[in-house]
Amino acid sequence: MNEVDLTVHLTPDDIVRGLRSDVRTGLTAVPKTLPPKWFYDARGSELFERITRLPEYYPTRAEREILAARSSEIASLTGASTLVELGSGSSEKTRFLLDALRDKGTLREMVMLDVSESALREAAETLSAAYPVSVHGVVGDFTQHLALLPGSAERLVAFLGGTIGNLVPAERTKFLTGVRDVLDEGEWLLLGTDLVKDPAVLVRAYDDAAGVTAEFNRNVLHVLNRELSADFDAAAFEHVALWDEAQEWIEMRLRATRPMRAHVPVVGLTVDFVEGEELRTEVSAKFRPERVRSELADAGFELREWWTDRDGRFGVSLSRAVAR
Ligand code: SAH
Ligand code: AVI
């Protein structure tokens, strides 16, 4: 096995500090909100992996179909020697890219960044055992730590799964500009984006019959209870997934089924919910191809290829960093 080196830009202390700050801001706001990155402790990462195998959750299968069909073309076009994956999770689909880059003979190193240390360690060890390249795992936040990523030209940054949709538009602009800033002209971005479609299909994907997404959603409250000694009664919140037609995003919320008071002693906060009150935990934006192209262009990327799965549910774009 090649060596796995792990760099930690988010220590457990940093994580608790960040969580405290987001809780203070989000749970005193009207309406209440929490950022989705707090879903992903070890249990949340496992629940997400279960989501990817649900019959209703098509994005993972659709993106896998595209990567299986196009990775060899991606390897030929980019000739990348460093593959950088952001929000890498299990990096399961990434193997198509790694296989193709290895077969081309260009691949030298893999850098993977995720906020979830457990998911990152497991994936880094698996990839390191399977590929003859150096694997660098970075525990970090892709909205904060892009400038600290290792890796040398020619780089291909992959941001898969549709995770860009979990950022609101202003965050997306900042994120894409941040990625552009760390790349040299001519380097590459491979971006997975879920596409606008029949709202019934979308809502089913975020409200599955087995209740796995509901458990994933409630997991954020378990994280608050553990990390901040809070006392949320997670079972008393019901999972809500709705389609926001105007914003073209799915919104996940947790709805209080009765009046509740929760304490978050670590931040000295008492949080009251009236019956039916909702806490927004995630947006998952769905895209039209023109929007992907224009957001990329605004950040300094030129779209070179656009692929969808056979059913047109999911899009993967390959774009190149250009002069700004
Ligand atoms: N790319 C994988 C996983 C998607 S799930 C796939 O396509 O299946 C989203 C991943 O992003 C999770 O592993 C989660 O831990 C990570 N993540 C979420 N917010 C993050 C952030 N702000 N910084 C870094 N990683 C983040
Ligand atoms: C990681 N991200 C792209 C997933 C999504 O579809 O927005 C997270 C998720 N939320 C509910 N199900 C899956």
Side-chain angles (χ1 to χ4, degrees):
M1 191 197 285
N2 287 289
E3 189 191 328
V4 176
D5 85 73
L6 206 76
T7 308
V8 180
H9 292 311
L10 278 177
T11 63
D13 275 359
D14 297 329
I15 290 180
V16 170
R17 246 196 314 277
L19 184 58
R20 273 159 50 174
S21 157
D22 284 351
V23 161
R24 228 180 259 121
T25 309
L27 295 188
T28 56
V30 184
K32 297 178 174 66
T33 64
L34 283 172
K37 78 171 170 193
W38 301 115
F39 288 135
Y40 299 96
D41 64 347
R43 178 170 183 265
S45 294
E46 277 165 30
L47 285 166
F48 176 75
E49 287 309 309
R50 282 177 60 196
I51 289 174
T52 65
R53 295 189 287 273
L54 292 169
E56 297 95 333
Y57 193 77
Y58 62 85
T60 306
R61 282 185 296 280
E63 189 179 47
R64 184 182 300 124
E65 179 190 319
I66 300 166
L67 293 173
R70 302 296 180 176
S71 285
S72 149
E73 209 174 329
I74 293 166
S76 298
L77 282 164
T78 64
S81 54
T82 301
L83 179 61
V84 179
E85 183 174 19
L86 304 176
S88 44
S90 69
S91 288
E92 190 258 329
K93 287 166 275 143
T94 316
R95 286 169 156 262
F96 291 107
L97 296 169
L98 290 167
D99 288 344
L101 290 165
R102 179 196 53 199
D103 294 350
K104 272 265 157 239
T106 59
L107 185 66
R108 299 284 170 269
E109 61 180 331
M110 162 89 189
V111 177
M112 43 215 293
L113 176 139
D114 205 287
V115 75
S116 174
E117 181 163 347
S118 61
L120 185 75
R121 270 186 194 282
E122 195 179 325
E125 274 161 22
T126 305
L127 292 185
S128 170
Y131 294 90
V133 296
S134 50
V135 174
H136 307 274
V138 179
V139 182
D141 185 325
F142 52 60
T143 65
Q144 290 172 40
H145 300 122
L146 293 179
L148 302 172
L149 286 174
S152 47
E154 180 86 26
R155 281 169 298 180
L156 167 63
V157 173
F159 193 38
L160 302 177
T163 304
I164 189 150
N166 300 134
L167 303 176
V168 297
E171 292 171 332
R172 287 205 301 266
T173 305
K174 199 163 167 229
F175 169 80
L176 288 172
T177 310
V179 174
R180 173 64 192 88
D181 286 345
V182 298
L183 293 181
D184 293 328
E185 217 176 304
E187 293 188 308
W188 300 88
L189 172 64
L190 187 73
L191 183 66
T193 40
D194 195 12
L195 303 178
V196 172
K197 59 182 62 63
D198 177 358
V201 173
L202 286 168
V203 170
R204 266 199 300 279
Y206 289 83
D207 194 7
D208 63 279
V212 183
T213 310
E215 227 16 69
F216 174 72
N217 194 4
R218 282 191 280 263
N219 193 51
V220 72
L221 299 180
H222 295 299
V223 169
L224 264 49
N225 287 350
R226 188 189 60 237
E227 297 296 334
L228 304 181
S229 309
D231 58 0
F232 288 92
D233 180 2
F237 286 85
E238 71 189 357
H239 170 66
V240 177
L242 55 85
W243 173 241
D244 184 325
E245 186 72 52
Q247 302 282 3
E248 297 194 319
W249 67 40
I250 284 280
E251 208 165 296
M252 290 211 314
R253 301 176 182 175
L254 288 168
R255 180 185 293 147
T257 57
R258 54 175 171 79
M260 269 183 276
R261 166 162 290 188
H263 305 90
V264 194
V266 171
V267 284
L269 204 66
T270 300
V271 192
D272 287 318
F273 289 85
V274 297
E275 184 177 340
E277 186 175 345
E278 293 174 342
L279 156 66
R280 185 177 90 179
T281 51
E282 183 184 70
V283 302
S284 190
K286 308 303 164 190
F287 293 83
R288 297 174 189 273
E290 321 79 77
R291 181 164 208 173
V292 176
R293 180 194 288 274
S294 72
E295 291 195 11
L296 285 167
D298 290 347
F301 288 101
E302 179 187 52
L303 184 74
R304 295 292 287 270
E305 300 290 339
W306 171 255
W307 300 289
T308 68
D309 60 308
R310 271 186 305 271
D311 296 330
R313 295 168 298 178
F314 197 91
V316 171
S317 56
L318 179 66
S319 47
R320 202 156 200 200
V322 290
R324 284 174 298 177

PDB file of all heavy atoms in Angstrom, residues 225-250:
ATOM      1  N   ASN A 225     -26.649  17.666  19.957  1.00  0.00           N
ATOM      2  CA  ASN A 225     -26.745  17.089  21.317  1.00  0.00           C
ATOM      3  C   ASN A 225     -25.383  16.591  21.782  1.00  0.00           C
ATOM      4  O   ASN A 225     -24.964  16.849  22.907  1.00  0.00           O
ATOM      5  CB  ASN A 225     -27.759  15.944  21.333  1.00  0.00           C
ATOM      6  CG  ASN A 225     -29.194  16.474  21.236  1.00  0.00           C
ATOM      7  OD1 ASN A 225     -29.422  17.678  21.343  1.00  0.00           O
ATOM      8  ND2 ASN A 225     -30.140  15.580  21.026  1.00  0.00           N
ATOM      9  N   ARG A 226     -24.665  15.906  20.889  1.00  0.00           N
ATOM     10  CA  ARG A 226     -23.373  15.331  21.303  1.00  0.00           C
ATOM     11  C   ARG A 226     -22.295  16.403  21.457  1.00  0.00           C
ATOM     12  O   ARG A 226     -21.586  16.457  22.448  1.00  0.00           O
ATOM     13  CB  ARG A 226     -22.926  14.280  20.283  1.00  0.00           C
ATOM     14  CG  ARG A 226     -21.695  13.503  20.747  1.00  0.00           C
ATOM     15  CD  ARG A 226     -21.128  12.616  19.668  1.00  0.00           C
ATOM     16  NE  ARG A 226     -20.736  13.391  18.514  1.00  0.00           N
ATOM     17  CZ  ARG A 226     -21.215  13.177  17.286  1.00  0.00           C
ATOM     18  NH1 ARG A 226     -22.097  12.235  17.048  1.00  0.00           N
ATOM     19  NH2 ARG A 226     -20.801  13.931  16.287  1.00  0.00           N
ATOM     20  N   GLU A 227     -22.172  17.257  20.443  1.00  0.00           N
ATOM     21  CA  GLU A 227     -21.042  18.206  20.421  1.00  0.00           C
ATOM     22  C   GLU A 227     -21.255  19.405  21.343  1.00  0.00           C
ATOM     23  O   GLU A 227     -20.295  20.009  21.807  1.00  0.00           O
ATOM     24  CB  GLU A 227     -20.796  18.710  18.994  1.00  0.00           C
ATOM     25  CG  GLU A 227     -20.391  17.628  18.010  1.00  0.00           C
ATOM     26  CD  GLU A 227     -19.054  16.977  18.360  1.00  0.00           C
ATOM     27  OE1 GLU A 227     -18.216  17.619  19.026  1.00  0.00           O
ATOM     28  OE2 GLU A 227     -18.875  15.798  17.994  1.00  0.00           O
ATOM     29  N   LEU A 228     -22.520  19.803  21.535  1.00  0.00           N
ATOM     30  CA  LEU A 228     -22.766  21.021  22.309  1.00  0.00           C
ATOM     31  C   LEU A 228     -23.590  20.741  23.567  1.00  0.00           C
ATOM     32  O   LEU A 228     -24.144  21.673  24.162  1.00  0.00           O
ATOM     33  CB  LEU A 228     -23.488  22.064  21.437  1.00  0.00           C
ATOM     34  CG  LEU A 228     -22.801  22.460  20.115  1.00  0.00           C
ATOM     35  CD1 LEU A 228     -23.627  23.507  19.372  1.00  0.00           C
ATOM     36  CD2 LEU A 228     -21.388  22.988  20.348  1.00  0.00           C
ATOM     37  N   SER A 229     -23.687  19.449  23.934  1.00  0.00           N
ATOM     38  CA  SER A 229     -24.489  19.044  25.106  1.00  0.00           C
ATOM     39  C   SER A 229     -25.915  19.600  25.042  1.00  0.00           C
ATOM     40  O   SER A 229     -26.487  19.965  26.085  1.00  0.00           O
ATOM     41  CB  SER A 229     -23.828  19.507  26.413  1.00  0.00           C
ATOM     42  OG  SER A 229     -22.489  19.107  26.432  1.00  0.00           O
ATOM     43  N   ALA A 230     -26.467  19.693  23.853  1.00  0.00           N
ATOM     44  CA  ALA A 230     -27.845  20.192  23.705  1.00  0.00           C
ATOM     45  C   ALA A 230     -28.825  19.066  24.030  1.00  0.00           C
ATOM     46  O   ALA A 230     -28.432  17.905  24.189  1.00  0.00           O
ATOM     47  CB  ALA A 230     -28.055  20.705  22.283  1.00  0.00           C
ATOM     48  N   ASP A 231     -30.118  19.432  24.129  1.00  0.00           N
ATOM     49  CA  ASP A 231     -31.104  18.405  24.520  1.00  0.00           C
ATOM     50  C   ASP A 231     -32.302  18.383  23.569  1.00  0.00           C
ATOM     51  O   ASP A 231     -33.454  18.324  23.996  1.00  0.00           O
ATOM     52  CB  ASP A 231     -31.547  18.619  25.977  1.00  0.00           C
ATOM     53  CG  ASP A 231     -32.150  19.998  26.207  1.00  0.00           C
ATOM     54  OD1 ASP A 231     -32.226  20.799  25.235  1.00  0.00           O
ATOM     55  OD2 ASP A 231     -32.578  20.286  27.340  1.00  0.00           O
ATOM     56  N   PHE A 232     -32.029  18.474  22.267  1.00  0.00           N
ATOM     57  CA  PHE A 232     -33.111  18.398  21.286  1.00  0.00           C
ATOM     58  C   PHE A 232     -33.726  17.005  21.322  1.00  0.00           C
ATOM     59  O   PHE A 232     -32.995  16.000  21.368  1.00  0.00           O
ATOM     60  CB  PHE A 232     -32.584  18.658  19.865  1.00  0.00           C
ATOM     61  CG  PHE A 232     -32.221  20.096  19.634  1.00  0.00           C
ATOM     62  CD1 PHE A 232     -30.926  20.540  19.868  1.00  0.00           C
ATOM     63  CD2 PHE A 232     -33.183  20.996  19.194  1.00  0.00           C
ATOM     64  CE1 PHE A 232     -30.592  21.865  19.661  1.00  0.00           C
ATOM     65  CE2 PHE A 232     -32.851  22.325  18.991  1.00  0.00           C
ATOM     66  CZ  PHE A 232     -31.551  22.758  19.226  1.00  0.00           C
ATOM     67  N   ASP A 233     -35.056  16.934  21.274  1.00  0.00           N
ATOM     68  CA  ASP A 233     -35.752  15.654  21.150  1.00  0.00           C
ATOM     69  C   ASP A 233     -35.921  15.409  19.639  1.00  0.00           C
ATOM     70  O   ASP A 233     -36.941  15.779  19.044  1.00  0.00           O
ATOM     71  CB  ASP A 233     -37.104  15.742  21.868  1.00  0.00           C
ATOM     72  CG  ASP A 233     -37.880  14.442  21.771  1.00  0.00           C
ATOM     73  OD1 ASP A 233     -37.350  13.470  21.178  1.00  0.00           O
ATOM     74  OD2 ASP A 233     -39.015  14.398  22.277  1.00  0.00           O
ATOM     75  N   ALA A 234     -34.902  14.785  19.043  1.00  0.00           N
ATOM     76  CA  ALA A 234     -34.870  14.658  17.575  1.00  0.00           C
ATOM     77  C   ALA A 234     -36.111  13.944  17.048  1.00  0.00           C
ATOM     78  O   ALA A 234     -36.644  14.297  15.995  1.00  0.00           O
ATOM     79  CB  ALA A 234     -33.594  13.928  17.151  1.00  0.00           C
ATOM     80  N   ALA A 235     -36.599  12.952  17.823  1.00  0.00           N
ATOM     81  CA  ALA A 235     -37.756  12.162  17.358  1.00  0.00           C
ATOM     82  C   ALA A 235     -39.025  13.014  17.264  1.00  0.00           C
ATOM     83  O   ALA A 235     -39.980  12.637  16.593  1.00  0.00           O
ATOM     84  CB  ALA A 235     -37.975  10.989  18.300  1.00  0.00           C
ATOM     85  N   ALA A 236     -39.028  14.159  17.939  1.00  0.00           N
ATOM     86  CA  ALA A 236     -40.219  15.009  17.912  1.00  0.00           C
ATOM     87  C   ALA A 236     -40.196  16.000  16.743  1.00  0.00           C
ATOM     88  O   ALA A 236     -41.042  16.891  16.650  1.00  0.00           O
ATOM     89  CB  ALA A 236     -40.354  15.748  19.236  1.00  0.00           C
ATOM     90  N   PHE A 237     -39.216  15.852  15.850  1.00  0.00           N
ATOM     91  CA  PHE A 237     -39.157  16.687  14.638  1.00  0.00           C
ATOM     92  C   PHE A 237     -39.457  15.812  13.438  1.00  0.00           C
ATOM     93  O   PHE A 237     -38.866  14.732  13.284  1.00  0.00           O
ATOM     94  CB  PHE A 237     -37.774  17.319  14.475  1.00  0.00           C
ATOM     95  CG  PHE A 237     -37.523  18.450  15.433  1.00  0.00           C
ATOM     96  CD1 PHE A 237     -37.059  18.213  16.713  1.00  0.00           C
ATOM     97  CD2 PHE A 237     -37.778  19.771  15.044  1.00  0.00           C
ATOM     98  CE1 PHE A 237     -36.828  19.251  17.602  1.00  0.00           C
ATOM     99  CE2 PHE A 237     -37.551  20.821  15.922  1.00  0.00           C
ATOM    100  CZ  PHE A 237     -37.073  20.567  17.208  1.00  0.00           C
ATOM    101  N   GLU A 238     -40.363  16.283  12.571  1.00  0.00           N
ATOM    102  CA  GLU A 238     -40.617  15.475  11.376  1.00  0.00           C
ATOM    103  C   GLU A 238     -39.869  16.051  10.186  1.00  0.00           C
ATOM    104  O   GLU A 238     -39.629  17.254  10.096  1.00  0.00           O
ATOM    105  CB  GLU A 238     -42.103  15.283  11.105  1.00  0.00           C
ATOM    106  CG  GLU A 238     -42.853  16.472  10.634  1.00  0.00           C
ATOM    107  CD  GLU A 238     -44.361  16.229  10.612  1.00  0.00           C
ATOM    108  OE1 GLU A 238     -44.810  15.111  10.923  1.00  0.00           O
ATOM    109  OE2 GLU A 238     -45.080  17.184  10.291  1.00  0.00           O
ATOM    110  N   HIS A 239     -39.515  15.131   9.309  1.00  0.00           N
ATOM    111  CA  HIS A 239     -38.754  15.464   8.110  1.00  0.00           C
ATOM    112  C   HIS A 239     -39.674  16.091   7.061  1.00  0.00           C
ATOM    113  O   HIS A 239     -40.748  15.572   6.796  1.00  0.00           O
ATOM    114  CB  HIS A 239     -38.142  14.162   7.569  1.00  0.00           C
ATOM    115  CG  HIS A 239     -37.534  14.277   6.213  1.00  0.00           C
ATOM    116  ND1 HIS A 239     -36.429  15.039   5.951  1.00  0.00           N
ATOM    117  CD2 HIS A 239     -37.880  13.706   5.026  1.00  0.00           C
ATOM    118  CE1 HIS A 239     -36.110  14.935   4.664  1.00  0.00           C
ATOM    119  NE2 HIS A 239     -36.975  14.138   4.080  1.00  0.00           N
ATOM    120  N   VAL A 240     -39.222  17.201   6.477  1.00  0.00           N
ATOM    121  CA  VAL A 240     -39.984  17.857   5.409  1.00  0.00           C
ATOM    122  C   VAL A 240     -39.056  18.064   4.224  1.00  0.00           C
ATOM    123  O   VAL A 240     -37.927  18.543   4.390  1.00  0.00           O
ATOM    124  CB  VAL A 240     -40.496  19.252   5.883  1.00  0.00           C
ATOM    125  CG1 VAL A 240     -41.225  19.986   4.768  1.00  0.00           C
ATOM    126  CG2 VAL A 240     -41.375  19.116   7.120  1.00  0.00           C
ATOM    127  N   ALA A 241     -39.520  17.686   3.028  1.00  0.00           N
ATOM    128  CA  ALA A 241     -38.772  17.986   1.800  1.00  0.00           C
ATOM    129  C   ALA A 241     -39.749  18.659   0.849  1.00  0.00           C
ATOM    130  O   ALA A 241     -40.802  18.102   0.544  1.00  0.00           O
ATOM    131  CB  ALA A 241     -38.233  16.702   1.170  1.00  0.00           C
ATOM    132  N   LEU A 242     -39.438  19.876   0.435  1.00  0.00           N
ATOM    133  CA  LEU A 242     -40.363  20.537  -0.500  1.00  0.00           C
ATOM    134  C   LEU A 242     -39.602  21.180  -1.645  1.00  0.00           C
ATOM    135  O   LEU A 242     -38.410  21.518  -1.524  1.00  0.00           O
ATOM    136  CB  LEU A 242     -41.246  21.541   0.235  1.00  0.00           C
ATOM    137  CG  LEU A 242     -40.583  22.617   1.053  1.00  0.00           C
ATOM    138  CD1 LEU A 242     -40.213  23.789   0.176  1.00  0.00           C
ATOM    139  CD2 LEU A 242     -41.539  23.066   2.138  1.00  0.00           C
ATOM    140  N   TRP A 243     -40.311  21.324  -2.764  1.00  0.00           N
ATOM    141  CA  TRP A 243     -39.730  21.935  -3.965  1.00  0.00           C
ATOM    142  C   TRP A 243     -40.063  23.410  -3.961  1.00  0.00           C
ATOM    143  O   TRP A 243     -41.235  23.791  -3.905  1.00  0.00           O
ATOM    144  CB  TRP A 243     -40.290  21.253  -5.221  1.00  0.00           C
ATOM    145  CG  TRP A 243     -39.906  21.899  -6.518  1.00  0.00           C
ATOM    146  CD1 TRP A 243     -40.750  22.442  -7.447  1.00  0.00           C
ATOM    147  CD2 TRP A 243     -38.576  22.042  -7.065  1.00  0.00           C
ATOM    148  NE1 TRP A 243     -40.036  22.916  -8.524  1.00  0.00           N
ATOM    149  CE2 TRP A 243     -38.701  22.684  -8.309  1.00  0.00           C
ATOM    150  CE3 TRP A 243     -37.296  21.697  -6.604  1.00  0.00           C
ATOM    151  CZ2 TRP A 243     -37.595  22.991  -9.113  1.00  0.00           C
ATOM    152  CZ3 TRP A 243     -36.194  22.011  -7.399  1.00  0.00           C
ATOM    153  CH2 TRP A 243     -36.358  22.637  -8.629  1.00  0.00           C
ATOM    154  N   ASP A 244     -39.048  24.270  -3.994  1.00  0.00           N
ATOM    155  CA  ASP A 244     -39.250  25.714  -4.106  1.00  0.00           C
ATOM    156  C   ASP A 244     -39.121  26.063  -5.587  1.00  0.00           C
ATOM    157  O   ASP A 244     -38.021  26.094  -6.145  1.00  0.00           O
ATOM    158  CB  ASP A 244     -38.196  26.440  -3.253  1.00  0.00           C
ATOM    159  CG  ASP A 244     -38.405  27.954  -3.240  1.00  0.00           C
ATOM    160  OD1 ASP A 244     -38.830  28.515  -4.280  1.00  0.00           O
ATOM    161  OD2 ASP A 244     -38.138  28.573  -2.197  1.00  0.00           O
ATOM    162  N   GLU A 245     -40.277  26.321  -6.176  1.00  0.00           N
ATOM    163  CA  GLU A 245     -40.361  26.546  -7.628  1.00  0.00           C
ATOM    164  C   GLU A 245     -39.570  27.794  -8.045  1.00  0.00           C
ATOM    165  O   GLU A 245     -38.887  27.811  -9.070  1.00  0.00           O
ATOM    166  CB  GLU A 245     -41.847  26.723  -7.982  1.00  0.00           C
ATOM    167  CG  GLU A 245     -42.165  26.829  -9.450  1.00  0.00           C
ATOM    168  CD  GLU A 245     -42.007  25.492 -10.154  1.00  0.00           C
ATOM    169  OE1 GLU A 245     -42.592  24.501  -9.677  1.00  0.00           O
ATOM    170  OE2 GLU A 245     -41.286  25.455 -11.171  1.00  0.00           O
ATOM    171  N   ALA A 246     -39.665  28.843  -7.224  1.00  0.00           N
ATOM    172  CA  ALA A 246     -39.023  30.113  -7.585  1.00  0.00           C
ATOM    173  C   ALA A 246     -37.503  29.981  -7.534  1.00  0.00           C
ATOM    174  O   ALA A 246     -36.782  30.439  -8.423  1.00  0.00           O
ATOM    175  CB  ALA A 246     -39.495  31.210  -6.634  1.00  0.00           C
ATOM    176  N   GLN A 247     -36.987  29.329  -6.510  1.00  0.00           N
ATOM    177  CA  GLN A 247     -35.531  29.200  -6.358  1.00  0.00           C
ATOM    178  C   GLN A 247     -34.974  28.005  -7.123  1.00  0.00           C
ATOM    179  O   GLN A 247     -33.764  27.855  -7.247  1.00  0.00           O
ATOM    180  CB  GLN A 247     -35.161  29.027  -4.872  1.00  0.00           C
ATOM    181  CG  GLN A 247     -35.620  30.153  -3.978  1.00  0.00           C
ATOM    182  CD  GLN A 247     -34.710  31.365  -4.087  1.00  0.00           C
ATOM    183  OE1 GLN A 247     -33.762  31.395  -4.882  1.00  0.00           O
ATOM    184  NE2 GLN A 247     -34.991  32.386  -3.310  1.00  0.00           N
ATOM    185  N   GLU A 248     -35.867  27.122  -7.543  1.00  0.00           N
ATOM    186  CA  GLU A 248     -35.481  25.865  -8.182  1.00  0.00           C
ATOM    187  C   GLU A 248     -34.529  25.075  -7.275  1.00  0.00           C
ATOM    188  O   GLU A 248     -33.449  24.646  -7.688  1.00  0.00           O
ATOM    189  CB  GLU A 248     -34.914  26.090  -9.597  1.00  0.00           C
ATOM    190  CG  GLU A 248     -35.990  26.686 -10.510  1.00  0.00           C
ATOM    191  CD  GLU A 248     -35.661  26.653 -11.993  1.00  0.00           C
ATOM    192  OE1 GLU A 248     -34.501  26.927 -12.344  1.00  0.00           O
ATOM    193  OE2 GLU A 248     -36.573  26.369 -12.800  1.00  0.00           O
ATOM    194  N   TRP A 249     -34.963  24.926  -6.026  1.00  0.00           N
ATOM    195  CA  TRP A 249     -34.211  24.046  -5.139  1.00  0.00           C
ATOM    196  C   TRP A 249     -35.158  23.245  -4.250  1.00  0.00           C
ATOM    197  O   TRP A 249     -36.293  23.643  -3.994  1.00  0.00           O
ATOM    198  CB  TRP A 249     -33.169  24.801  -4.324  1.00  0.00           C
ATOM    199  CG  TRP A 249     -33.598  25.797  -3.282  1.00  0.00           C
ATOM    200  CD1 TRP A 249     -34.648  25.709  -2.394  1.00  0.00           C
ATOM    201  CD2 TRP A 249     -32.938  27.035  -2.972  1.00  0.00           C
ATOM    202  NE1 TRP A 249     -34.672  26.807  -1.573  1.00  0.00           N
ATOM    203  CE2 TRP A 249     -33.638  27.639  -1.896  1.00  0.00           C
ATOM    204  CE3 TRP A 249     -31.803  27.690  -3.467  1.00  0.00           C
ATOM    205  CZ2 TRP A 249     -33.254  28.858  -1.332  1.00  0.00           C
ATOM    206  CZ3 TRP A 249     -31.424  28.904  -2.901  1.00  0.00           C
ATOM    207  CH2 TRP A 249     -32.146  29.484  -1.857  1.00  0.00           C
ATOM    208  N   ILE A 250     -34.641  22.093  -3.821  1.00  0.00           N
ATOM    209  CA  ILE A 250     -35.329  21.301  -2.802  1.00  0.00           C
ATOM    210  C   ILE A 250     -34.882  21.870  -1.469  1.00  0.00           C
ATOM    211  O   ILE A 250     -33.710  22.202  -1.289  1.00  0.00           O
ATOM    212  CB  ILE A 250     -34.908  19.809  -2.897  1.00  0.00           C
ATOM    213  CG1 ILE A 250     -35.586  19.115  -4.072  1.00  0.00           C
ATOM    214  CG2 ILE A 250     -35.197  19.062  -1.593  1.00  0.00           C
ATOM    215  CD1 ILE A 250     -37.030  18.697  -3.811  1.00  0.00           C
TER     216      ILE A 250
END
